[in-house]
Amino acid sequence: LRKGADMDVRNGMGLRPLGTSAAEFEQDLLSNLYYRRGTTVESASTQDAYETLALTVRDRLAERRVRTAAAQYAANPRWVYYLSAEYLLGKQLEQNMLYSGTDRIARIALRQLGLDPDEVTALDLEPGLGNGGLGRLAACLLDAMATLDIPAVGYGIRYDFGIFKQDFQDGRQIERPDDWAFQGNPWEFPAPDDQQTVFFYGHTEKDAAGRTLWIPGEVVFAEPSHMLVPGHGTDTVNIVRLWRARGSHSSFDLSRFSAGQYAEAVDEAVHAENISKVLYPDDSTESGRELRLKQQYFLVSSSLRDIIRRFRLRNSDWTDFPKKTVIQLNDTHPTLAIPELMRLLVDEEGLSWDLAWAITKQTFAYTCHTLLPEALETWPVHMFERLLPRHIEIVYAINEIFLTEVRNRFPADLDRVRRMSIIQEEPERRVRMANLAVVGTQAVNGVAELHSRLLADITLRDFAELWPEKFHNVTNGISPRRFVKMANPALSDLITEGLGGDAWITDLDRLAGLEPLAEDASFRLRWREVKQANKVRLGLGDPASLTDVMIKRFHEYKRQQLKLLHIITQYHRIKQNPGQTFVPRTVLFAGKAAPAYHAAKHIIRLINAVAATIDADPAVSPYLKVVFPANYNVTLSSLIIPAADLSEQISLAGKEASGTGNMKLALNGALTVGTLDGANIEIRDRVGADNFFLFGLDTPAALELRNGGTYSPRAYYEQDGELRRALDAILDGKFAGVGREVADSLLGWDEYLTLADYRTYVDAQDDVDAAWQDTESWTRRSILNTARSGFFSADRTVRDYASEIWHVTPVKVTR
Ligand code: 73E
């Protein structure tokens, strides 16, 4: 059977269609239990039951998947290939039950068989193949692409160990490995036939015809498997294809094994397999390890060969490649795809350099996710050329042509040439991946309006001056399916009732129809009841108290330390005023710090120490409670977000590219306290300034203060009594002696201007308390936050990409 051939799949290839009744589902459960797990209900373990349920649900999407593949093959469309080193897909079972419409019948069938649905579904694990917002964005975009019937494939790495599991010991973060697929992963379809070969190291030579040959020093196999990416309310089921490294056949040394050298016999295979062993637990901090560069090339090389294999199923002319293919680079992590495509076209396919370069530039687009200079990836030339000796030659050649263009446009501007070069010279020679990504693509985008503007004006200014038309903004969005419909079923039901239908799930602008209901007292009461019930479900703190959440990776620029200073201030106010009543608050932090990021870990430890001190103080605990559940992930976020009243988005202006948690929280009816940063600005523009608690320096003021050279955090400390008290409490060891590093860093340099924003932040929090006391008005604002946030659907984001950058059209899957 020729893979991808135009086979007749319209009748499920003549198979019996899978039933939609609970009785039929029950039959299929029994059948899968028997034939796939080799057991019966009487002797099945819970794991058997879980795997069987997963397969039975999966089967119902498989038929849609086959029809999707056939329709997409027939259309020979322009494809979107999304390359990302990270995906935070979240649990698959609940999503796939929802998307296949089997949620209700699956539960009935399980109970019929004497199985407890909650016990069985509890075994579903979250594949944590990402660090934070960037990985979750990739998953939300895949969801939206499928929902919009866009022919797309996501490519990534199937890490054996995902993002580490976080625990606290004495309030300190400790990390444990996350072997998420140890029991197997029922959602995965292996595709061994599509295995690819990836080369590393070695050297280059010229053959008689003058063509360059790469003689590699290491060969590794890339074994693909895929998971289903169903669309909501459509028959499209796309895939995300994940690569796993395997030693080549020759990497098992039988003679050594026979000689009893067991470890040495598998040395090479183990070495190869390390490539997909672990996700780098690294968010916006530099890592710089060769293994990471190897991972990047592994992803890129195997994915490009697969993309070309797919292109050849229906096409033969290379000039058609960019017409049929757009490859979106999720940050610079997959940027090696640019020189790799050049190598494949020039060295392997024999195209001229100029034609290959034209094709390459037209094919790629690049999304930048950061502004922090330390997060712009660079690789030492010596490491790059040792690992990828042919690619460094190609990068040099690209650079030469590019710099000639720069010199022609800006004669005698040597400094500009130095700044724009793909190769950094000082203090050490390094390859600048962002420069390579801008040079080798047809479109570059930031992820929120402010971010895209700052990219063009500051971070990538030289490039925007050279190619203004290349620069775009595509504001991030989130999946309303996962973060409203699934995470918040009670609110979803209320919204559906209020709007008279559930079309909002795939057309989120319809939430605007809730606006008039903000004036309806009985609707407001039900809105509050839902929020209360979600707090009870979360099970942390008093459901009547204001639930104030800060959920995100720990990073100094995000300023969890600012929230902490407010908490300590509130603690002091309560202690100083016995007999006075205060607005009761439950402050919830959740998030992980990179294992080597010591400053962030000190903040985590201090939060836990402050939480314990408050807890132990009966004068304070009725009004203030700090909770910090460990191991924040997509699953936990889905419990917290629906329970939140207040969303903390308090990064220093100009540092957070977008944020996406801010969107999820606003859509679930939380009010935001935030700076004019990232997507906060767009949220505030939409929900209205009255429904958003603004504070802090804006970007120009922050830049001026930081760059002016006169910023003195100590001056703020000396001038503000409450701030002084908060910092002194830490310095005096009032919180079990923990956190002096945090206070020292704030008083010493305070990179992210925390002390400069402290006073306006505390004042904004006083406004929050005052607003909370008017329950009806707060509820009105909460409803308006939801009603006016439809823009932040990932469906809108994908439509923007499709029309502005990808120029792709949907392929509808029919029966
Ligand atoms: O503001 C977020 C943004 O919402 C940004 O910090 C995050 O991407 C989100 C989605 O656009 C992000 N992650 C990384 N860079 N930006 C990153 C960098 C290196 C390794 C892993 C992740």
Side-chain angles (χ1 to χ4, degrees), residues 559 561 652 706 711-714 716 744-757:
R559 301 199 296 190
Q561 66 277 23
L652 174 62
R706 181 79 278 170
Y711 175 60
S712 161
R714 221 161 240 290
Y716 291 88
D744 286 344
S745 151
L746 292 175
L747 286 166
W749 174 246
D750 188 16
E751 174 70 30
Y752 300 105
L753 308 178
T754 309
L755 302 198
D757 275 349

Side-chain angles (χ1 to χ4, degrees), residues 12-46:
M13 304 188 75
L15 297 173
R16 167 180 67 85
L18 296 177
T20 53
S21 72
E24 287 163 304
F25 196 92
E26 187 185 328
Q27 277 305 306
D28 293 335
L29 277 175
L30 284 173
S31 163
N32 279 331
L33 194 58
Y34 192 88
Y35 291 113
R36 306 294 294 276
R37 299 292 292 182
T39 188
T40 62
V41 174
E42 290 71 32
S43 39
S45 66
T46 313

Side-chain angles (χ1 to χ4, degrees), residues 126 205 270 285 306 572 638 787:
E126 158 172 353
E205 287 174 6
V270 168
T285 55
D306 199 58
H572 285 149
S638 305

Side-chain angles (χ1 to χ4, degrees), residues 59 163 174 256 267 287 370 392 409 413 429 441 537 739 758:
D59 287 346
I163 178 77
I174 58 157
R256 287 203 144 150
D267 243 13
S287 124
T370 193
I392 196 78
R409 266 290 301 278
D413 193 344
R429 300 194 76 219
T441 55
R537 179 178 70 152
Y758 167 86

Side-chain angles (χ1 to χ4, degrees), residues 133 137 447-448 475-478 483 549-552 558 632 641 644 646-651 656-684 687 692 785-786 789 792:
L137 181 77
V447 291
T475 298
N476 283 168
I478 62 110
F483 292 105
V549 313
M550 184 155 188
I551 47 177
K552 52 186 79 243
K558 295 178 187 279
Y632 183 62
I641 290 165
L646 186 66
S647 162
E648 300 274 350
Q649 308 300 336
I650 61 177
S651 52
E656 187 71 272
S658 164
T660 47
N662 47 3
M663 303 168 183
K664 297 165 195 171
L665 285 156
L667 274 164
N668 281 277
L671 275 61
T672 304
V673 55
T675 49
L676 287 175
D677 200 12
N680 294 354
I681 298 173
E682 288 157 81
I683 292 174
R684 181 168 171 269
V687 305
F692 186 108
N785 263 268
T786 303
S789 293
F792 300 104

